[in-house]
Amino acid sequence: MDQAEQLRILKAGRQQPRSLARIITVTSGKGGVGKSNTSINLAIQFRKMGKRVIILDADFGLANIEIMFGAVPKHNLYDLIYQGKSITDIITWGPMEVGFISGGSGIAGMSNLNRGYLSCIIQNLAQLDSIADIIIVDTGAGISDAVLEFLVASDEILLITTPEPTSITDSYSLLKALYRHSRFDSENTKIKLVANRVEKESEGRILYDKLNTVVERYLKVPVLYLDCVPEDSQLSRSVMQQVPVSLHNPNARSALAYERIAGKLLDRTESERQPKRGMAAFLSYFIGGKR
């Protein structure tokens, strides 16, 4: 089914079998560590593997996704909430028909809406389950109430960290704040670390061991090591060209790493163990914590 057919189905209101999208939340303890690059390139790799993907750019302070895609959205989440736009109006289609939704200031404003209005918004966004197999939520960097609410609503978190000491420290601070959150469920939330900008694969493992040793001792939050992405000049060039490296240079070291990571995330055994929350439940949980 192509994009046009998906949109016709939504607009016609035709009944579809109930399905739930897999929601992967990508976050980091500080900015500038490659969080949005990870979100975009994983989306491209998932598309190459035949999955339908939507990115929710939940960093309403910085519009990184649209800049990196080289596409300016006509509408964002704010327009759905306050201007009566439909879910199809606020999806911008990037390379390889990866859809993305700009959060704008709409996410912050959701906490001020009444329950009836919120229910309507959730029903609109729940339609994403019917047009996406995977929804990637790209959060703001650092520790804020909005970031934490997204994380506690998630079933699956990718934590992006670099070998820089400040990045490791900030990642620990983020995990500590998450651990202390009243609604965090460590048994049902999988946290997976991606070591970014490493010189070699062993450096990624060392980075993980440093962080996980402290986490296990003081927080007892299970953090799994997913994989690493090497330092790569080709990735920097692709950012300047506003084309994801997975398209700009598919054989680049970083692109091959993203391909490997996407494959691990889509491994059948792993996927079957990973519960699917779906967009309606995800947003209900997120909004419930802000009210």
Side-chain angles (χ1 to χ4, degrees), residues 6-23:
Q6 293 168 359
L7 296 183
R8 283 194 293 271
I9 288 172
L10 285 178
K11 289 180 178 178
R14 194 182 308 169
Q15 291 296 317
Q16 292 290 297
R18 178 63 174 162
S19 61
L20 296 176
R22 180 177 176 183
I23 299 175

Side-chain angles (χ1 to χ4, degrees), residues 272-289:
E272 289 175 352
R273 287 200 301 262
Q274 184 63 47
K276 293 181 180 179
R277 184 183 295 274
M279 201 60 184
F282 174 83
L283 286 168
S284 295
Y285 202 84
F286 168 74
I287 294 169

